Amino acid sequence: DSLFKCSTLQLNKERKKEMSRAKTYETRTEEILAPIVHEAGVEVYDVEYVKEGADWYLRVYIDKPDGVNINDCEVVNRALSAKMDELDFIDDAYILEVSSPGLGRTLKKDRHLEKSIGQDVEIKLYKPVDKVKEFEGTLLSFDAEKITIDMDGEEKSFLRSDIAVIKLAIDF
């Protein structure tokens, strides 16, 4: 039993270290991207450094008011790839991907939420509320603690700590 606890603690330490390292890589990449995206006429939506299976991915999501196209992605990818090769601060081998955040984009940061006030969103919770884990409504407001949506005329607030994911709803 104590061996299990010890190995679980070690795994948690390694996971935290990996998450901290990923956050450092994401932040540094965002700093490097600033002049590149300015020159390309786009903005950084998000950067994530994640492991999927055996591979590491450095994903850069770019956006602009009228949407990005393949040329925007290519320009940013080439410039960033050259700069990342030059600076070489990521120890692992990784795959660089540059793309649009898509129509049903995840709203991870306050700046994403701010731009999405008045738009329809989907919220998925970690645990069900009244046996329901998924909610859809119009984003009304947010603060450090909660997010409030309008669900057919009824305001409903969710603690941010209870939200697994919030993203723009796609209307077809």
Side-chain angles (χ1 to χ4, degrees):
D1 192 40
S2 63
L3 180 61
F4 175 74
K5 285 180 186 173
C6 191
S7 64
T8 301
L9 283 173
Q10 187 62 34
L11 278 174
N12 285 340
K13 280 183 183 177
E14 287 174 18
R15 194 171 293 129
K16 282 182 182 174
K17 184 177 174 185
E18 206 168 84
M19 287 173 62
S20 171
R21 188 171 55 119
K23 185 58 68 193
T24 300
Y25 292 162
E26 291 165 1
T27 302
R28 182 89 194 275
T29 302
E30 237 180 292
E31 291 166 358
I32 293 163
L33 273 165
I36 294 170
V37 296
H38 178 75
E39 179 75 23
V42 299
E43 63 186 37
V44 176
Y45 184 82
D46 199 14
V47 175
E48 60 182 15
Y49 185 72
V50 295
K51 188 170 189 175
E52 292 180 4
D55 297 321
W56 283 97
Y57 290 85
L58 179 61
R59 292 198 174 112
V60 174
Y61 300 97
I62 58 173
D63 203 11
K64 64 182 180 185
D66 56 340
V68 296
N69 59 43
I70 191 75
N71 293 332
D72 296 321
C73 295
E74 184 179 347
V75 165
V76 171
N77 190 312
R78 285 177 194 252
L80 179 60
S81 182
K83 198 68 175 169
M84 295 297 283
D85 287 347
E86 175 190 323
L87 298 173
D88 197 27
F89 63 91
I90 297 179
D91 298 330
D92 312 301
Y94 62 91
I95 298 163
L96 174 63
E97 294 179 349
V98 177
S99 68
S100 155
L103 294 176
R105 61 192 60 190
T106 302
L107 308 175
K108 292 182 181 178
K109 301 178 178 175
D110 284 355
R111 68 176 189 244
H112 302 155
L113 292 165
E114 187 66 44
K115 283 186 172 183
S116 303
I117 299 271
Q119 295 187 48
D120 290 341
V121 296
E122 296 173 356
I123 293 177
K124 292 183 182 174
L125 303 176
Y126 289 112
K127 297 177 189 167
V129 172
D130 299 325
K131 299 182 182 175
V132 181
K133 283 179 78 172
E134 296 182 19
F135 299 85
E136 189 169 331
T138 304
L139 181 61
L140 295 177
S141 64
F142 70 95
D143 60 30
E145 302 294 317
K146 67 182 185 310
I147 291 176
T148 303
I149 63 173
D150 177 318
M151 295 175 47
D152 299 319
E154 177 190 341
E155 280 191 24
K156 187 145 184 76
S157 293
F158 302 90
L159 291 176
R160 287 177 85 157
S161 59
D162 292 341
I163 298 174
V165 68
I166 179 170
K167 61 184 181 175
L168 289 180
I170 302 174
D171 249 353
F172 288 104

